[in-house]
């Protein structure tokens, strides 16, 4: 289906979908934009399965200046319900995909093979990546022998392609996921997401918790069918022809089962020492407000774009889809034997908890959180101001009134220019910018929010809000994306191309 037909279809279904935008209220008085998709079988019990940590990939040792990896995208299965296989689409068949660790300035090449029944596009989220390898939605990698519609493809390859990442960027918690035109939501829902961490000398010199005390935690909500398979309200379950979800879920799909690294409500045995938790909200639409019960401080050390200049102590952290918060929790504050629940204050019922930490014995702990973590990346004064409005129009989601057209950039940004962008919304829109990280200068008439500190690539914009960010695009020219990371909004056209010139 071509883009014109898709937009026509959106307009056509506008009347049918005019039921308003459901907002799920959280117990903390805040909310997610979306509708709850109930599972069709009893939910799994909480805290019976142990937390899994995604497998870490080791690079091909034959190369001296490049780390090379190969990932095969294929069907696999996970176990969410005891004794029942849940089919997933995974990188190497795994969900989450294996973790890749890159060193700053050391080139990383990931060869992706596609053995799924659909085309894919791989995006390294938070990556400072040349445009050709950024996972543009129409740069499709088809499975070998694919015989379906290829009209949406821009640059295309079959069977395999290399994604090359120069990695000229700070240490940070990045993630990779599918970014195919019109079908990102269901593809990520089925499992196409994994961690990609970047380390550097500045971070390695700090006494932060490392090794198995550095835990990546990918938090998602999902729903399940009677047979234990993932449930998602696609109009076209083959994910090949008609994009979008049934009208009830046009504002976002919210699941009723919380998975951490693919395990429902896991427990994690921890020693009574400090841990670094790399929190990633990889959900399609759900926002979380995470806190510990019994309470303990969560000391934020980093976010999307890497380490903060100084640690920040929170009693709770709020994460919109695609955002990352690196926090250090000192479990020695608890008596050994304490069971500490990671709560979601924005959830209700089953979604009000995420996982549990079971605090074990005291152990030696050489780690600490220094009061200075990184040098403040200075930004020059802005050259110009632009405004972007994120709004629903009929049943499409638009930016400045326009649905996404992959071949029609809406602005051109000079390479190296610092810009001020005003972002305005109607509902919750987690606004994501490719290539350039940004600083949040303020929200409404006030300053930045409690969770806006540091370099971000995704902003948690709340209903009827205006935020001002300062952004700069360095190093690479080409076509990049600005979009809402509520994946249902993204698939329903809330995305815009811009050119760095
Ligand atoms: Cu995480 Cu353009 O996406
Ligand atoms: Cu991205
Ligand atoms: Cu949105």
């Amino acid at each position: 289906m071509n883009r014109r037909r898709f937009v026509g279809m959106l307009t056509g279904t506008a009347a049918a979908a005019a039921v308003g935008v459901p907002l799920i209220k959280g117990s903390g008085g805040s909310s997610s934009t979306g509708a709850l998709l109930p599972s069709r079988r009893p939910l799994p019990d909480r805290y019976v399965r142990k937390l899994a940590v995604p497998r870490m990939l080791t690079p091909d040792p034959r190369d001296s200046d490049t780390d090379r990896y190969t990932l095969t995208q294929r069907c696999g299965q996970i176990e969410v319900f005891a004794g029942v296989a849940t089919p997933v689409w995974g990188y190497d068949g795994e969900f989450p995909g294996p973790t890749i660790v890159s060193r700053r300035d050391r080139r990383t090449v990931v060869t992706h093979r596609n053995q799924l029944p659909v085309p894919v596009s791989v995006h390294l989220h938070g990556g400072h990546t040349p445009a050709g390898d950024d996972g543009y939605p129409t740069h499709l990698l088809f499975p070998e022998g694919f015989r379906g519609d290829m009209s949406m493809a821009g640059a295309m390859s079959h069977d395999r392609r290399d994604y090359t990442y120069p990695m000229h960027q700070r240490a940070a918690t990045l993630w990779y996921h599918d970014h195919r035109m019109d079908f990102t939501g269901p593809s990520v829902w089925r499992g196409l997401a994994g961690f990609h961490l970047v380390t550097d000398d500045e971070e390695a010199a700090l006494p932060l918790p490392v090794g198995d005390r550095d835990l990546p935690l990918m938090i998602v909500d999902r729903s399940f069918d009677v047979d234990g398979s993932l449930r998602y309200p696609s109009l076209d379950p083959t994910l090949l022809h008609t994009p979008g979800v049934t009208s009830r879920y046009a504002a976002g799909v919210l699941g009723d089962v919380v998975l951490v690294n693919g395990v429902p409500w896991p427990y994690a045995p921890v020693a009574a020492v400090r841990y670094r938790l790399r929190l990633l909200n990889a959900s399609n639409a759900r926002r979380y407000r995470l806190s510990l019960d019994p309470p303990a401080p969560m000391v934020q050390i980093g976010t999307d774009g890497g380490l903060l200049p100084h640690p920040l102590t929170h009693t709770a952290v709020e994460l919109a889809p695609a955002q990352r918060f690196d926090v250090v929790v000192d479990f020695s504050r608890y008596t050994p034997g304490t069971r500490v629940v990671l709560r979601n204050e924005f959830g209700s019922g089953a979604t009000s908890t995420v996982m549990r930490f079971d605090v074990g014995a005291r152990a030696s702990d050489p780690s600490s959180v220094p009061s200075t973590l990184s040098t403040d990346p200075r930004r020059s004064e802005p050259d110009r101001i632009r405004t972007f409005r994120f709004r629903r129009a009929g049943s499409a989601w638009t930016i400045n009134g326009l649905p996404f057209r992959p071949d029609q950039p809406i602005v051109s940004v000079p390479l190296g220019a610092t810009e001020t962008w005003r972002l305005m919304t109607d509902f919750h829109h987690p606004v994501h910018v490719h290539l350039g990280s940004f600083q949040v200068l303020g929200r409404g008439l006030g300053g930045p929010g409690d969770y806006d500190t540091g370099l971000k690539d995704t902003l948690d914009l709340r209903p009827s809000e205006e935020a001002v960010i300062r952004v700069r695009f360095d190093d690479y020219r080409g076509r990049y994306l600005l979009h809402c990371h509520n994946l249902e909004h993204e698939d329903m056209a809330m995305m815009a191309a811009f050119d760095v010139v």
Side-chain angles (χ1 to χ4, degrees):
M1 164 175 296
N2 64 36
R3 169 59 44 182
R4 176 164 310 181
R5 226 172 103 209
F6 171 39
V7 172
M9 186 196 74
L10 284 175
T11 321
T13 52
V19 287
V21 173
L23 293 173
I24 296 276
K25 285 288 173 205
S27 56
S30 204
S31 52
S32 298
T33 292
L36 188 73
L37 178 72
S39 289
R40 288 175 167 149
R41 55 180 292 148
L43 306 187
D45 288 333
R46 293 184 283 181
Y47 320 133
V48 295
R49 305 268 308 284
K50 195 167 150 188
L51 177 74
V53 177
R55 179 169 65 94
M56 208 176 275
L57 282 189
T58 37
D60 187 323
R62 284 167 301 190
D63 234 298
S64 58
D65 65 341
T66 302
D67 288 338
R68 286 181 195 280
Y69 303 92
T70 301
L71 284 173
T72 302
Q73 301 187 35
R74 55 180 170 81
C75 300
Q77 54 188 50
I78 60 173
E79 190 183 306
V80 173
F81 300 90
V84 178
T86 295
V88 296
W89 286 355
Y91 296 102
D92 279 357
E94 294 164 27
F95 172 66
T99 299
I100 296 175
V101 182
S102 290
R103 191 85 189 171
R104 179 177 188 159
D105 296 325
R106 188 173 158 83
R107 185 170 55 204
T108 298
V109 177
V110 187
T111 303
H112 275 272
R113 303 201 60 192
N114 182 5
Q115 296 177 354
L116 292 169
V118 298
V120 297
S121 175
V122 184
H123 172 57
L124 174 57
H125 182 121
H128 189 63
T129 306
D133 286 325
D134 196 44
Y136 203 71
T138 52
H139 290 183
L140 298 177
L141 167 59
F142 289 91
E144 200 173 19
F146 185 77
R147 264 178 252 291
D149 176 11
M150 295 188 211
S151 62
M152 284 294 274
M156 68 168 117
S157 15
H158 283 85
D159 182 40
R160 64 172 73 212
R161 70 155 282 176
D162 289 352
Y163 288 87
T164 300
Y165 305 115
M167 289 295 168
H168 300 315
Q169 57 185 115
R170 312 167 75 224
T173 302
L174 314 183
W175 61 301
Y176 62 100
H177 62 77
D178 194 57
H179 214 305
R180 174 168 57 119
M181 184 80 181
D182 297 338
F183 293 100
T184 294
S187 303
V188 172
W189 186 271
R190 287 185 193 200
L192 293 176
F195 279 101
H196 191 143
L197 314 180
V198 186
T199 62
D200 65 9
D201 295 340
E202 183 180 49
E203 182 193 53
L206 299 174
L208 299 171
V210 291
D212 59 8
R213 296 178 185 179
D214 176 352
L215 287 177
L217 301 175
M218 179 188 286
I219 302 169
V220 303
D221 58 336
R222 293 290 186 266
S223 297
F224 296 87
D225 224 313
V226 197
D227 60 359
S229 63
L230 286 158
R231 183 175 181 215
Y232 187 86
S234 288
L235 292 176
D236 170 12
T238 68
L239 309 192
L240 283 174
H241 309 292
T242 310
V245 290
T246 56
S247 60
R248 173 167 169 71
Y249 297 97
V253 180
L254 303 170
D256 54 9
V257 174
V258 179
L259 306 177
V260 182
N261 295 344
V263 183
W265 296 290
Y267 71 91
V270 292
V273 297
R274 282 180 210 88
Y275 280 75
R276 174 179 185 166
L277 309 179
R278 298 178 188 254
L279 304 167
L280 158 64
N281 179 1
S283 307
N284 284 33
R286 183 177 290 280
R287 295 169 70 248
Y288 298 80
R289 181 178 162 88
L290 302 177
S291 61
L292 296 163
D293 180 18
M298 304 172 99
V299 179
Q300 189 192 352
I301 57 169
T303 186
D304 308 344
L307 293 169
L308 305 185
H310 308 286
L312 261 183
T313 301
H314 299 288
T315 50
V317 292
E318 295 180 11
L319 288 90
Q323 289 191 312
R324 285 87 71 211
F325 281 76
D326 276 27
V327 300
V328 172
V329 172
D330 185 358
F331 289 104
S332 76
R333 291 171 168 269
Y334 297 106
T335 324
T338 310
R339 294 171 157 190
V340 184
V341 172
L342 184 64
R343 285 176 34 80
N344 170 27
E345 296 174 20
F346 284 167
S348 54
T351 58
S352 63
T353 58
V354 173
M355 64 176 289
R356 194 179 74 190
F357 297 98
D358 293 358
V359 182
R362 300 198 184 282
S364 78
D365 185 359
S367 77
S368 63
V369 179
S371 58
T372 296
L373 296 162
S374 70
T375 47
D376 213 338
R378 293 224 175 273
R379 289 281 160 103
S380 42
E381 283 308 300
D383 301 318
R384 64 178 62 63
I385 299 176
R386 302 183 202 271
T387 301
F388 297 96
R389 289 189 175 78
F390 291 76
R391 291 186 36 223
R392 183 172 176 131
S395 69
W397 295 94
T398 63
I399 302 178
N400 287 352
L402 301 168
F404 181 51
R405 309 259 173 168
D407 48 3
Q408 285 173 28
I410 65 167
V411 292
S412 287
V413 181
L415 184 72
T418 300
E419 304 211 335
T420 298
W421 288 7
R422 288 169 67 218
L423 309 169
M424 298 158 81
T425 56
D426 49 1
F427 300 105
H428 289 100
H429 298 297
V431 174
H432 173 49
V433 183
H434 287 217
L435 184 68
S437 49
F438 54 81
Q439 288 163 312
V440 182
L441 300 184
R443 287 177 185 261
L445 298 173
D450 291 346
Y451 308 106
D452 291 337
T453 308
L455 284 175
K456 313 292 277 194
D457 59 47
T458 308
L459 174 75
D460 180 19
L461 258 188
R462 295 161 304 196
S464 308
E465 199 170 36
E466 176 178 335
V468 179
I469 65 172
R470 181 170 293 177
V471 65
R472 196 173 72 201
F473 302 98
D474 290 315
D475 299 329
Y476 309 117
R477 293 190 164 85
R479 187 155 296 167
Y480 289 95
L481 293 169
L482 158 74
H483 63 90
C484 178
H485 219 290
N486 173 313
L487 298 182
E488 284 72 39
H489 298 189
E490 175 180 337
D491 283 343
M492 280 180 278
M494 193 172 253
M495 182 144 65
F498 64 90
D499 282 345
V500 178
V501 293

